[in-house]
Coordinates of all heavy atoms in Angstrom, one line a residue:
M1 N 108.6 122.1 125.4 CA 108.6 123.5 125.5 C 107.3 124.1 126.0 O 107.3 125.1 126.7 CB 108.9 124.1 124.1 CG 109.0 125.6 124.1 SD 110.2 126.4 125.2 CE 111.7 126.0 124.5
D2 N 106.2 123.4 125.8 CA 104.9 123.9 126.3 C 104.9 123.9 127.8 O 104.4 124.8 128.4 CB 103.8 123.0 125.8 CG 103.6 123.1 124.3 OD1 104.0 124.2 123.7 OD2 103.0 122.2 123.7
D3 N 105.5 122.9 128.4 CA 105.5 122.8 129.9 C 106.4 124.0 130.4 O 106.0 124.6 131.4 CB 106.1 121.5 130.4 CG 105.2 120.3 130.2 OD1 104.0 120.6 130.0 OD2 105.7 119.2 130.2
I4 N 107.5 124.3 129.8 CA 108.4 125.4 130.3 C 107.7 126.7 130.0 O 107.7 127.6 130.9 CB 109.7 125.3 129.6 CG1 110.5 124.1 130.0 CG2 110.5 126.6 129.9 CD1 111.8 123.8 129.3
A5 N 107.0 126.9 128.9 CA 106.3 128.1 128.6 C 105.2 128.3 129.7 O 104.9 129.4 130.2 CB 105.7 128.1 127.2
R6 N 104.5 127.3 130.0 CA 103.4 127.3 131.0 C 104.0 127.7 132.4 O 103.5 128.5 133.1 CB 102.6 126.0 131.1 CG 101.4 126.0 132.0 CD 100.6 124.7 131.9 NE 101.2 123.5 131.4 CZ 101.2 123.1 130.1 NH1 100.6 123.8 129.2 NH2 101.8 122.0 129.8
Y7 N 105.1 127.0 132.7 CA 105.8 127.3 134.0 C 106.3 128.7 134.0 O 106.2 129.4 135.1 CB 106.9 126.3 134.2 CG 107.4 126.3 135.6 CD1 106.7 125.6 136.6 CD2 108.6 126.9 136.0 CE1 107.1 125.6 137.9 CE2 109.0 126.8 137.3 CZ 108.3 126.2 138.2 OH 108.7 126.1 139.5
Y8 N 106.8 129.2 132.9 CA 107.3 130.6 132.8 C 106.1 131.6 133.2 O 106.3 132.5 134.0 CB 107.8 130.9 131.4 CG 108.4 132.3 131.2 CD1 109.7 132.4 131.2 CD2 107.6 133.4 131.0 CE1 110.3 133.7 131.0 CE2 108.1 134.6 130.8 CZ 109.5 134.8 130.8 OH 110.1 136.0 130.6
R9 N 105.0 131.3 132.6 CA 103.8 132.2 132.8 C 103.3 132.1 134.3 O 103.1 133.1 134.9 CB 102.6 131.8 131.9 CG 101.4 132.7 132.0 CD 100.4 132.4 130.9 NE 100.0 131.0 130.9 CZ 100.3 130.1 130.0 NH1 101.0 130.4 129.0 NH2 99.9 128.8 130.1
E10 N 103.3 130.9 134.9 CA 102.9 130.7 136.3 C 103.9 131.3 137.2 O 103.5 131.9 138.2 CB 102.8 129.2 136.6 CG 101.6 128.5 135.9 CD 101.7 127.0 136.0 OE1 102.6 126.5 136.7 OE2 100.8 126.4 135.4
T11 N 105.2 131.2 136.9 CA 106.2 131.7 137.8 C 106.5 133.2 137.7 O 106.7 133.9 138.7 CB 107.6 130.9 137.6 OG1 107.3 129.5 137.6 CG2 108.6 131.3 138.6
L12 N 106.6 133.7 136.5 CA 106.9 135.1 136.3 C 105.7 136.0 136.0 O 105.9 137.2 135.9 CB 108.0 135.2 135.2 CG 109.3 134.5 135.5 CD1 110.3 134.7 134.3 CD2 109.9 135.0 136.8
G13 N 104.6 135.4 135.8 CA 103.3 136.2 135.6 C 103.1 136.8 134.2 O 102.3 137.7 134.1
C14 N 103.8 136.3 133.2 CA 103.6 136.9 131.9 C 103.9 135.8 130.9 O 104.5 134.7 131.2 CB 104.5 138.1 131.7 SG 106.3 137.8 131.8
V15 N 103.5 136.0 129.6 CA 103.7 135.1 128.6 C 105.2 135.1 128.2 O 105.9 136.1 128.2 CB 102.9 135.4 127.3 CG1 103.2 134.6 126.1 CG2 101.4 135.4 127.7
M16 N 105.7 133.9 127.9 CA 107.1 133.7 127.6 C 107.4 134.4 126.2 O 106.8 134.0 125.2 CB 107.5 132.2 127.5 CG 108.9 131.9 127.3 SD 109.1 130.1 127.3 CE 110.8 130.0 127.9
P17 N 108.3 135.4 126.1 CA 108.6 136.0 124.9 C 109.3 135.1 123.9 O 110.0 134.1 124.3 CB 109.5 137.2 125.3 CG 110.0 136.9 126.6 CD 109.1 135.9 127.2
P18 N 109.2 135.4 122.6 CA 109.9 134.5 121.6 C 111.4 134.4 121.8 O 111.9 133.3 121.6 CB 109.6 135.2 120.3 CG 108.3 136.0 120.5 CD 108.4 136.4 122.0
M19 N 112.0 135.5 122.2 CA 113.5 135.3 122.4 C 113.8 134.4 123.6 O 114.8 133.7 123.6 CB 114.2 136.7 122.6 CG 113.8 137.3 123.9 SD 114.7 138.9 124.1 CE 113.6 139.8 125.2
A20 N 112.9 134.3 124.6 CA 113.1 133.4 125.7 C 113.0 132.0 125.2 O 113.7 131.1 125.6 CB 112.2 133.7 126.8
K21 N 112.0 131.7 124.4 CA 111.8 130.4 123.8 C 113.0 130.0 123.0 O 113.4 128.8 123.1 CB 110.5 130.4 122.9 CG 109.2 130.4 123.7 CD 108.0 130.4 122.8 CE 106.8 130.5 123.6 NZ 105.6 130.5 122.8
R22 N 113.5 130.9 122.2 CA 114.7 130.6 121.4 C 115.9 130.2 122.3 O 116.6 129.3 122.1 CB 115.1 131.8 120.6 CG 116.2 131.6 119.6 CD 116.8 132.8 119.0 NE 117.3 133.7 120.1 CZ 117.1 135.0 120.2 NH1 116.3 135.6 119.4 NH2 117.6 135.6 121.2
D23 N 116.1 131.1 123.4 CA 117.2 130.8 124.3 C 117.1 129.5 125.1 O 118.0 128.8 125.3 CB 117.4 132.0 125.3 CG 117.8 133.3 124.6 OD1 118.3 133.3 123.5 OD2 117.6 134.4 125.2
V24 N 115.9 129.2 125.5 CA 115.6 128.0 126.3 C 115.8 126.8 125.3 O 116.5 125.8 125.7 CB 114.2 128.0 126.8 CG1 113.8 126.6 127.3 CG2 114.1 129.0 128.0
T25 N 115.4 126.9 124.1 CA 115.6 125.8 123.2 C 117.1 125.6 123.0 O 117.6 124.4 123.0 CB 114.9 126.1 121.8 OG1 113.5 126.2 122.0 CG2 115.2 125.0 120.8
A26 N 117.9 126.6 122.8 CA 119.3 126.5 122.6 C 120.0 125.9 123.9 O 120.9 125.1 123.7 CB 119.9 127.9 122.3
A27 N 119.5 126.3 125.1 CA 120.1 125.8 126.3 C 119.8 124.3 126.4 O 120.7 123.5 126.8 CB 119.5 126.5 127.5
I28 N 118.6 123.9 126.1 CA 118.3 122.5 126.1 C 119.1 121.7 125.1 O 119.6 120.6 125.4 CB 116.8 122.3 126.0 CG1 116.1 122.8 127.3 CG2 116.4 120.8 125.8 CD1 114.6 122.9 127.2
E29 N 119.2 122.2 123.9 CA 120.0 121.6 122.9 C 121.5 121.5 123.3 O 122.2 120.6 122.9 CB 119.9 122.3 121.5 CG 118.5 122.1 120.9 CD 118.3 123.0 119.6 OE1 119.1 123.8 119.3 OE2 117.2 122.8 119.0
A30 N 121.9 122.4 124.1 CA 123.3 122.4 124.6 C 123.5 121.4 125.7 O 124.6 121.2 126.2 CB 123.7 123.8 125.0
G31 N 122.4 120.8 126.2 CA 122.5 119.8 127.2 C 121.8 120.0 128.5 O 121.7 119.2 129.4
L32 N 121.3 121.2 128.7 CA 120.6 121.6 130.0 C 119.3 120.8 130.1 O 118.5 120.8 129.1 CB 120.3 123.1 130.0 CG 120.4 123.8 131.3 CD1 121.9 123.8 131.8 CD2 120.0 125.2 131.1
E33 N 119.0 120.2 131.2 CA 117.8 119.5 131.4 C 116.6 120.5 131.6 O 116.8 121.5 132.2 CB 117.8 118.6 132.7 CG 118.7 117.4 132.5 CD 118.7 116.4 133.6 OE1 118.0 116.7 134.7 OE2 119.2 115.3 133.5
P34 N 115.4 120.2 131.0 CA 114.3 121.1 131.1 C 114.0 121.4 132.6 O 113.6 122.6 132.9 CB 113.2 120.3 130.5 CG 113.9 119.4 129.5 CD 115.1 119.0 130.1
Q35 N 114.1 120.5 133.5 CA 113.8 120.8 134.9 C 114.7 121.8 135.5 O 114.3 122.6 136.3 CB 113.9 119.5 135.7 CG 113.5 119.7 137.2 CD 112.1 120.2 137.4 OE1 111.2 119.8 136.8 NE2 112.0 121.2 138.3
L36 N 115.9 121.9 135.0 CA 116.9 122.9 135.5 C 116.5 124.3 134.9 O 116.7 125.3 135.6 CB 118.3 122.5 135.1 CG 119.4 123.3 135.7 CD1 119.3 123.3 137.3 CD2 120.8 122.7 135.3
V37 N 115.9 124.3 133.8 CA 115.4 125.6 133.3 C 114.3 126.1 134.2 O 114.3 127.3 134.6 CB 114.9 125.4 131.8 CG1 114.2 126.7 131.4 CG2 116.0 125.1 130.9
M38 N 113.5 125.2 134.6 CA 112.4 125.6 135.6 C 113.0 126.1 136.9 O 112.5 127.0 137.5 CB 111.4 124.5 135.8 CG 110.6 124.2 134.5 SD 109.4 122.9 134.8 CE 109.1 122.3 133.1
T39 N 114.0 125.4 137.4 CA 114.7 125.8 138.6 C 115.3 127.2 138.4 O 115.2 128.0 139.3 CB 115.8 124.8 139.0 OG1 115.2 123.5 139.2 CG2 116.6 125.2 140.2
A40 N 115.8 127.5 137.3 CA 116.4 128.8 137.0 C 115.2 129.9 137.0 O 115.4 131.0 137.5 CB 117.1 128.9 135.6
L41 N 114.1 129.5 136.5 CA 112.9 130.4 136.6 C 112.5 130.6 138.0 O 112.1 131.8 138.4 CB 111.8 129.9 135.8 CG 112.0 129.8 134.3 CD1 110.8 129.1 133.6 CD2 112.2 131.2 133.7
D42 N 112.6 129.6 138.9 CA 112.3 129.8 140.3 C 113.2 130.8 140.9 O 112.8 131.7 141.7 CB 112.4 128.5 141.0 CG 111.3 127.5 140.7 OD1 110.2 127.9 140.3 OD2 111.5 126.3 140.9
E43 N 114.5 130.6 140.6 CA 115.5 131.5 141.1 C 115.3 133.0 140.6 O 115.4 133.9 141.4 CB 116.9 131.0 140.7 CG 118.0 131.5 141.5 CD 119.4 130.9 141.1 OE1 119.5 129.7 141.0 OE2 120.3 131.7 140.9
T44 N 114.9 133.1 139.4 CA 114.6 134.4 138.8 C 113.4 135.1 139.5 O 113.4 136.3 139.8 CB 114.2 134.2 137.3 OG1 115.4 133.7 136.7 CG2 113.9 135.6 136.7
A45 N 112.4 134.3 139.9 CA 111.2 134.8 140.5 C 111.6 135.4 141.9 O 110.9 136.3 142.4 CB 110.2 133.7 140.7
L46 N 112.6 135.0 142.5 CA 113.1 135.5 143.8 C 113.9 136.8 143.7 O 114.2 137.4 144.7 CB 113.9 134.4 144.5 CG 113.1 133.1 144.9 CD1 114.1 132.1 145.5 CD2 112.0 133.4 145.8
A47 N 114.3 137.1 142.5 CA 115.1 138.3 142.3 C 114.3 139.6 142.6 O 113.1 139.6 142.4 CB 115.6 138.3 140.8
P48 N 115.0 140.7 142.9 CA 114.3 141.9 143.2 C 113.5 142.4 142.0 O 112.5 143.0 142.1 CB 115.4 142.9 143.5 CG 116.6 142.0 144.0 CD 116.4 140.7 143.2
R49 N 114.1 142.2 140.8 CA 113.4 142.6 139.5 C 113.5 141.5 138.5 O 114.3 141.4 137.6 CB 114.1 143.8 139.0 CG 114.0 145.0 139.9 CD 114.7 146.2 139.4 NE 113.8 146.8 138.4 CZ 114.0 147.9 137.7 NH1 115.2 148.5 137.9 NH2 113.1 148.4 136.9
P50 N 112.6 140.5 138.7 CA 112.6 139.3 137.8 C 112.5 139.7 136.3 O 111.6 140.6 136.0 CB 111.4 138.5 138.3 CG 111.1 139.0 139.6 CD 111.5 140.4 139.6
S51 N 113.2 139.1 135.5 CA 113.1 139.4 134.0 C 113.7 138.2 133.3 O 114.4 137.4 133.8 CB 113.9 140.7 133.7 OG 115.3 140.5 133.9
W52 N 113.5 138.2 132.0 CA 114.1 137.2 131.2 C 115.6 137.4 131.1 O 116.3 136.4 131.1 CB 113.5 137.1 129.7 CG 114.3 136.2 128.9 CD1 115.1 136.4 127.9 CD2 114.5 134.8 129.2 NE1 115.8 135.3 127.5 CE2 115.4 134.2 128.3 CE3 113.9 133.9 130.2 CZ2 115.7 132.9 128.3 CZ3 114.3 132.6 130.2 CH2 115.2 132.1 129.2
A53 N 116.1 138.6 131.1 CA 117.5 138.8 131.1 C 118.2 138.1 132.3 O 119.3 137.6 132.2 CB 117.8 140.3 131.1
Y54 N 117.5 138.2 133.5 CA 118.0 137.6 134.7 C 118.1 136.1 134.5 O 119.1 135.4 134.8 CB 117.2 138.0 135.9 CG 117.8 137.7 137.2 CD1 118.5 138.6 137.9 CD2 117.6 136.4 137.8 CE1 119.0 138.4 139.2 CE2 118.1 136.1 139.0 CZ 118.8 137.1 139.7 OH 119.4 136.8 141.0
A55 N 117.0 135.5 134.0 CA 116.9 134.1 133.8 C 118.0 133.6 132.8 O 118.7 132.6 133.0 CB 115.5 133.7 133.4
R56 N 118.1 134.4 131.7 CA 119.1 134.0 130.7 C 120.5 134.0 131.3 O 121.3 133.2 131.0 CB 119.0 135.0 129.5 CG 120.0 134.7 128.4 CD 119.9 135.6 127.2 NE 119.9 137.0 127.7 CZ 119.1 138.0 127.2 NH1 118.2 137.7 126.2 NH2 119.2 139.2 127.6
A57 N 120.8 135.0 132.2 CA 122.1 135.0 132.8 C 122.4 133.8 133.6 O 123.5 133.2 133.6 CB 122.3 136.3 133.6
I58 N 121.3 133.3 134.3 CA 121.5 132.1 135.1 C 121.8 130.9 134.2 O 122.7 130.1 134.5 CB 120.2 131.9 135.9 CG1 120.0 132.9 137.0 CG2 120.2 130.4 136.6 CD1 118.7 132.9 137.7
L59 N 121.0 130.8 133.1 CA 121.2 129.7 132.2 C 122.6 129.7 131.6 O 123.2 128.7 131.5 CB 120.1 129.7 131.1 CG 118.7 129.5 131.6 CD1 117.7 129.6 130.4 CD2 118.5 128.2 132.3
R60 N 123.0 130.9 131.2 CA 124.4 131.0 130.6 C 125.5 130.6 131.6 O 126.4 129.9 131.3 CB 124.6 132.4 130.1 CG 123.9 132.8 128.9 CD 124.1 134.2 128.4 NE 123.5 134.4 127.2 CZ 123.5 135.6 126.6 NH1 124.0 136.7 127.2 NH2 122.9 135.8 125.4
R61 N 125.3 131.0 132.9 CA 126.2 130.7 133.9 C 126.3 129.2 134.1 O 127.3 128.6 134.2 CB 125.9 131.4 135.2 CG 126.9 131.1 136.3 CD 126.5 131.8 137.6 NE 125.3 131.2 138.2 CZ 124.2 131.8 138.6 NH1 124.2 133.1 138.5 NH2 123.2 131.2 139.0
L62 N 125.1 128.6 134.2 CA 125.0 127.1 134.4 C 125.8 126.4 133.2 O 126.5 125.5 133.5 CB 123.6 126.6 134.5 CG 122.8 127.1 135.7 CD1 121.4 126.7 135.6 CD2 123.5 126.6 137.0
L63 N 125.5 126.8 132.0 CA 126.2 126.2 130.9 C 127.7 126.4 130.9 O 128.4 125.4 130.7 CB 125.6 126.7 129.5 CG 124.2 126.2 129.2 CD1 123.6 127.1 128.0 CD2 124.2 124.8 128.9
R64 N 128.1 127.6 131.2 CA 129.5 127.9 131.3 C 130.2 127.0 132.4 O 131.3 126.6 132.2 CB 129.7 129.4 131.6 CG 131.1 129.9 131.5 CD 131.2 131.4 131.7 NE 130.5 131.9 132.8 CZ 129.4 132.7 132.7 NH1 128.9 133.0 131.6 NH2 128.8 133.1 133.8
E65 N 129.5 126.8 133.5 CA 130.1 126.0 134.6 C 129.9 124.5 134.4 O 130.3 123.7 135.3 CB 129.4 126.5 135.9 CG 129.8 127.9 136.3 CD 129.1 128.3 137.6 OE1 128.4 127.5 138.2 OE2 129.3 129.5 137.9
G66 N 129.2 124.1 133.4 CA 129.0 122.7 133.1 C 128.0 122.0 134.0 O 128.0 120.8 134.3
V67 N 127.0 122.8 134.5 CA 125.9 122.3 135.3 C 124.7 122.1 134.4 O 124.1 123.0 134.0 CB 125.6 123.4 136.4 CG1 124.4 122.9 137.3 CG2 126.8 123.6 137.3
Y68 N 124.4 120.8 134.2 CA 123.4 120.4 133.2 C 122.2 119.8 133.8 O 121.2 119.7 133.1 CB 124.0 119.5 132.1 CG 125.1 120.2 131.3 CD1 126.4 119.9 131.6 CD2 124.7 121.1 130.3 CE1 127.4 120.5 130.8 CE2 125.7 121.7 129.6 CZ 127.1 121.4 129.8 OH 128.0 122.0 129.1
D69 N 122.3 119.4 135.1 CA 121.1 118.7 135.7 C 120.9 119.1 137.1 O 121.8 119.8 137.7 CB 121.3 117.2 135.5 CG 122.5 116.6 136.2 OD1 122.9 117.1 137.2 OD2 123.1 115.7 135.6
E70 N 119.8 118.6 137.7 CA 119.5 119.0 139.1 C 120.5 118.5 140.1 O 120.8 119.3 141.1 CB 118.1 118.4 139.4 CG 117.0 119.2 138.7 CD 116.7 120.6 139.3 OE1 116.9 120.8 140.5 OE2 116.4 121.4 138.5
Q71 N 121.1 117.4 139.9 CA 122.1 116.9 140.8 C 123.3 117.8 140.8 O 123.8 118.2 141.9 CB 122.5 115.5 140.5 CG 123.5 114.9 141.4 CD 123.9 113.4 141.0 OE1 123.5 112.9 140.1 NE2 124.8 112.9 141.8
A72 N 123.8 118.1 139.6 CA 125.0 119.0 139.6 C 124.6 120.4 140.1 O 125.5 121.1 140.8 CB 125.4 119.2 138.1
Y73 N 123.4 120.9 139.9 CA 123.0 122.1 140.5 C 123.0 122.1 142.0 O 123.4 123.0 142.7 CB 121.6 122.5 139.9 CG 121.1 123.8 140.4 CD1 121.5 125.0 139.9 CD2 120.1 123.9 141.4 CE1 121.1 126.2 140.3 CE2 119.7 125.1 141.9 CZ 120.1 126.3 141.3 OH 119.7 127.5 141.8
A74 N 122.5 121.0 142.6 CA 122.4 120.9 144.0 C 123.9 120.9 144.6 O 124.1 121.5 145.6 CB 121.7 119.6 144.4
Q75 N 124.8 120.2 143.9 CA 126.2 120.3 144.4 C 126.8 121.7 144.3 O 127.5 122.1 145.1 CB 127.0 119.3 143.5 CG 126.6 117.8 143.8 CD 127.3 116.9 142.8 OE1 127.8 117.3 141.8 NE2 127.1 115.6 143.1
R76 N 126.4 122.4 143.2 CA 126.9 123.7 143.0 C 126.4 124.6 144.1 O 127.2 125.4 144.7 CB 126.5 124.3 141.6 CG 126.9 125.7 141.4 CD 126.1 126.3 140.2 NE 126.6 127.6 139.9 CZ 126.2 128.7 140.7 NH1 125.4 128.5 141.7 NH2 126.6 129.9 140.4
Q77 N 125.1 124.5 144.4 CA 124.5 125.3 145.5 C 125.2 125.0 146.9 O 125.4 125.9 147.7 CB 123.0 125.1 145.5 CG 122.3 125.6 144.3 CD 122.5 127.1 144.1 OE1 123.4 127.5 143.4 NE2 121.6 127.9 144.7
A78 N 125.4 123.7 147.1 CA 126.1 123.3 148.4 C 127.5 123.9 148.5 O 127.9 124.4 149.6 CB 126.1 121.8 148.5
R79 N 128.2 123.9 147.4 CA 129.6 124.5 147.4 C 129.5 126.0 147.6 O 130.3 126.6 148.4 CB 130.3 124.2 146.1 CG 130.8 122.8 146.0 CD 131.7 122.6 144.8 NE 131.2 123.1 143.5 CZ 130.4 122.4 142.7 NH1 130.2 121.1 143.0 NH2 130.0 122.9 141.5
F80 N 128.5 126.7 147.0 CA 128.3 128.1 147.2 C 128.0 128.4 148.6 O 128.6 129.3 149.2 CB 127.2 128.6 146.3 CG 127.0 130.1 146.4 CD1 127.7 131.0 145.7 CD2 126.0 130.5 147.2 CE1 127.5 132.3 145.8 CE2 125.7 131.9 147.3 CZ 126.5 132.8 146.6
R81 N 127.1 127.7 149.2 CA 126.7 127.9 150.6 C 127.9 127.7 151.5 O 128.1 128.5 152.5 CB 125.5 127.1 151.0 CG 124.2 127.6 150.5 CD 123.1 126.9 151.2 NE 123.0 125.4 150.8 CZ 122.5 124.9 149.7 NH1 122.0 125.8 148.8 NH2 122.5 123.7 149.5
A82 N 128.7 126.7 151.3 CA 129.8 126.4 152.1 C 130.9 127.5 152.0 O 131.5 127.9 153.0 CB 130.5 125.0 151.7
R83 N 131.1 128.0 150.8 CA 132.1 129.1 150.6 C 131.6 130.4 151.3 O 132.5 131.2 151.7 CB 132.2 129.3 149.1 CG 133.6 129.1 148.6 CD 133.8 129.5 147.1 NE 132.6 129.9 146.3 CZ 132.0 129.1 145.4 NH1 132.4 127.8 145.3 NH2 131.0 129.5 144.7
H84 N 130.3 130.6 151.3 CA 129.8 131.9 151.8 C 129.2 131.8 153.2 O 128.7 132.8 153.7 CB 128.8 132.5 150.8 CG 129.5 132.8 149.5 ND1 130.3 133.9 149.3 CD2 129.5 132.1 148.3 CE1 130.7 133.9 148.1 NE2 130.3 132.9 147.4
S85 N 129.3 130.7 153.8 CA 128.7 130.6 155.2 C 129.4 131.5 156.2 O 128.8 131.9 157.2 CB 128.7 129.2 155.7 OG 130.0 128.7 155.8
D86 N 130.7 131.8 156.0 CA 131.4 132.7 156.9 C 131.0 134.1 156.8 O 131.3 134.9 157.6 CB 132.9 132.6 156.6 CG 133.5 131.2 156.9 OD1 132.9 130.5 157.8 OD2 134.5 130.8 156.4
D87 N 130.3 134.5 155.7 CA 129.8 135.8 155.5 C 128.6 136.2 156.3 O 128.2 137.3 156.4 CB 129.5 136.0 154.0 CG 130.7 135.9 153.1 OD1 131.8 135.9 153.6 OD2 130.5 135.7 151.9
L88 N 128.0 135.1 156.9 CA 126.7 135.4 157.6 C 127.0 136.0 158.9 O 128.0 135.7 159.6 CB 126.0 134.0 157.8 CG 125.5 133.3 156.6 CD1 125.0 132.0 157.0 CD2 124.5 134.1 155.8
P89 N 126.2 137.0 159.3 CA 126.4 137.7 160.6 C 126.1 136.9 161.8 O 126.4 137.4 162.9 CB 125.5 139.0 160.4 CG 124.4 138.5 159.6 CD 125.0 137.5 158.6
F90 N 125.4 135.8 161.7 CA 125.1 135.0 162.9 C 125.2 133.5 162.6 O 125.4 133.1 161.5 CB 123.6 135.3 163.4 CG 122.6 135.3 162.3 CD1 121.9 134.2 162.0 CD2 122.3 136.5 161.5 CE1 121.0 134.1 161.0 CE2 121.4 136.4 160.6 CZ 120.7 135.3 160.3

């Protein structure tokens, strides 16, 4: 958890709130790999308004979809890009 809290601070620029620690612990206990939590924080940092609520929504979606590790996440992202590549204007 210390590594994730440090990464949270480095990525989002603030100290990880207690509710975030609780949610991350629950996500990891549910089977999410810690590295995938950090990937979700990276995705959050790219959002127009990064927040813990945004990161929590990502984690919940991953758990709901059964995406527990980086390999499954990469496959999910590839499927998403393939589905939405026709939406690109060029």
Side-chain angles (χ1 to χ4, degrees):
M1 181 56 72
D2 291 339
D3 289 340
I4 294 173
R6 186 173 23 266
Y7 196 76
Y8 184 100
R9 186 174 52 254
E10 291 169 2
T11 306
L12 300 180
C14 59
V15 174
M16 188 178 208
M19 70 177 153
K21 288 180 182 179
R22 183 193 67 228
D23 293 343
V24 167
T25 299
I28 291 171
E29 287 174 354
L32 219 62
E33 288 187 352
Q35 182 58 45
L36 193 53
V37 173
M38 293 182 201
T39 299
L41 293 175
D42 290 337
E43 201 174 309
T44 299
L46 297 173
R49 298 180 79 180
S51 66
W52 173 246
Y54 193 95
R56 182 177 51 220
I58 293 170
L59 296 177
R60 286 179 175 174
R61 183 182 68 230
L62 294 173
L63 288 169
R64 188 174 49 252
E65 293 177 5
V67 177
Y68 296 101
D69 58 38
E70 288 289 321
Q71 181 180 2
Y73 181 78
Q75 292 170 349
R76 180 195 180 282
Q77 293 301 91
R79 285 190 307 270
F80 179 84
R81 282 191 296 279
R83 238 185 357 255
H84 295 285
S85 64
D86 294 336
D87 297 341
L88 297 174
F90 50 90

